[in-house]
Amino acid sequence: MKLSRICAAVSTGVLVLGISACSGAAGPGADAGSSSVIRTPIIADPPPLDPDVYYQPDGLLIMTAAYQGLLKYANDSADLEGLLATKWTVSGDGLTYTFTLRPDVKFSDGTPFDSTAARATFQRRIDMAAGPSYMLADVADMQTPDPSTFVVTLKRPVAAFLDYLASPYGPLMTSPTAVAQNDNGDRATQWLGSHTAGTGPYVLTSVEPSSKYTLTYNENYWGDKPQATTVEIPVIADPAVQRLQLESGQLDMVLHGLTKDDLATLASGPDTEVVHQKALIKALMMVNPESAVFGAPEARSALNEALDRKALTDNVFGPQGVPSTDFYPTGMLPEGAAADQPPLDPGKLAAIGARGGDVVVGYQAGDNSVRALTNQIQVILQNAGFNATIRSVPASQFFALGQQPDQRPDLLVTLFNPDAAHPDTWSRIYNYTDAPVNLLRCSVPEADRLLDAGSSEPDAQKSRALFVDAAAAYRDSLCWLNVTDVYDTVAARKGYSNWQHQLPWLWDTDFASLVRDNNS
């Protein structure tokens, strides 16, 4: 019997003993309940951990623990703060960025971080030309006038550039010495696939594929020493097993994958609690502009007004989310700047549904909440008179829908999050006509024009105004119907405090900031 099948049996009560075997890790040992150790699972081995290639949420907790960028976001905010850069200036034409770097910082290998290292990191990101390299695509020149000053000149203004530098997928400072020492003609990408060489509070010290990853305190870390000096990350595919191990004390927290019912139980448990962290996650529905039913603007409008966002949010997400009220996720624009609060009027959809029609609702496979939301939308459509069916779309097909028009459903339900807390990083990925994840290929040329104008406008106030106008145009197309703003939710053993979380982080938290009551 495969291990995954054994673990699945645990959740049904068939196998009560030996739960720890499902993770490949031992049960509670000498460090069980210790404030110096945090144990939190991932569902599968992450892809190679090269910081200039890595581009997915599961396993992001390793990257953000070991690496740092020049900037970061304030806790639960879209406000930028210095991290490895203590201050910065931007020229009036929006082309030249001058960063003053934090002094006395070392990489985990003991070598110094300075402007030369920053330039080498940027250059490696450009040369690797992987997914996240787009953030530096407009870099024209880099200068290092002294060890503490790093100057970047762009080919054209890029309004989101500073947000790119705070993104968890942005350029993460990497030891040039480690890269050089482990370069086998691949710029050290093989070595970095299972090692870390950053300035963060932790370093990856052990990799047991399909079993466990271990982070330990970086003795060369420039900041305050964290209370948790070890982070153990077992690979546990089944969320039901994760929950059982959390309740039994074999795990300290679970960052992702638990159902609404799981979280409700854990929130009321004697030894566990649930923490909701603000994030940039939208639960939404895309509309196929070629749909025989919903291609017509009046049908899209009727569908939009038939969605009871409060009821859908309560039924599917509970306290894990709040009804969406703005087109962009919270914090990208001032609240209400691109308000998205349609009236509730299911009668319009029923009038259209009375004429009949077949509707296929696709959903992104692999997330129970997305499936639950799809089921709810199917009921709304059926009650309105449509013959509505649902179809699971696996990841391999999901992201190929843009190139496969015959495979596109009428409606597509999903969860989306951007790379950074800037509106351009949302619409450039999801709404723009040829955006990589504009999967149903709805096109709003005027909104695209406004987005381009906002991105290239060096004046911050004028740029913001253009992004507001772009958001309104995308919203009014009714190609993307927002439902819920979803939190990044953590279930944890009681006793932790000082939770810190940056908005673009997904399935992640700041382990170094956490403090645990030793009596918990």
Side-chain angles (χ1 to χ4, degrees), residues 93-116:
D93 60 6
L95 295 177
T96 301
Y97 293 74
T98 302
F99 300 94
T100 300
L101 304 183
R102 185 178 296 276
D104 304 319
V105 173
K106 292 182 179 180
F107 290 102
S108 57
D109 61 5
T111 59
F113 165 73
D114 56 17
S115 60
T116 301

Side-chain angles (χ1 to χ4, degrees), residues 134-222:
Y134 81 89
M135 297 181 184
L136 300 183
D138 289 296
V139 171
D141 184 61
M142 295 179 286
Q143 296 295 323
T144 56
D146 60 66
S148 64
T149 306
F150 180 44
V151 182
V152 180
T153 301
L154 304 182
K155 302 170 187 175
R156 62 181 183 86
V158 177
F161 185 67
L162 291 175
D163 289 83
Y164 291 160
L165 304 188
S167 167
Y169 306 107
L172 302 173
M173 299 300 108
T174 307
S175 166
T177 300
V179 170
Q181 290 177 345
N182 295 283
D183 185 356
N184 293 316
D186 61 352
R187 300 188 66 86
T189 190
Q190 181 176 357
W191 184 83
L192 285 168
S194 57
H195 299 79
T196 57
T199 62
Y202 300 97
V203 60
L204 186 65
T205 50
S206 175
V207 173
E208 303 170 49
S210 302
S211 178
K212 186 172 70 174
Y213 295 71
T214 303
L215 295 160
T216 56
Y217 174 60
N218 172 13
E219 296 291 346
N220 289 305
Y221 181 50
W222 57 271

Side-chain angles (χ1 to χ4, degrees), residues 30-51:
D31 288 326
S34 168
S35 62
S36 66
V37 179
I38 291 175
R39 297 153 301 171
T40 184
I42 52 178
I43 61 174
D45 286 314
L49 297 167
D50 185 326

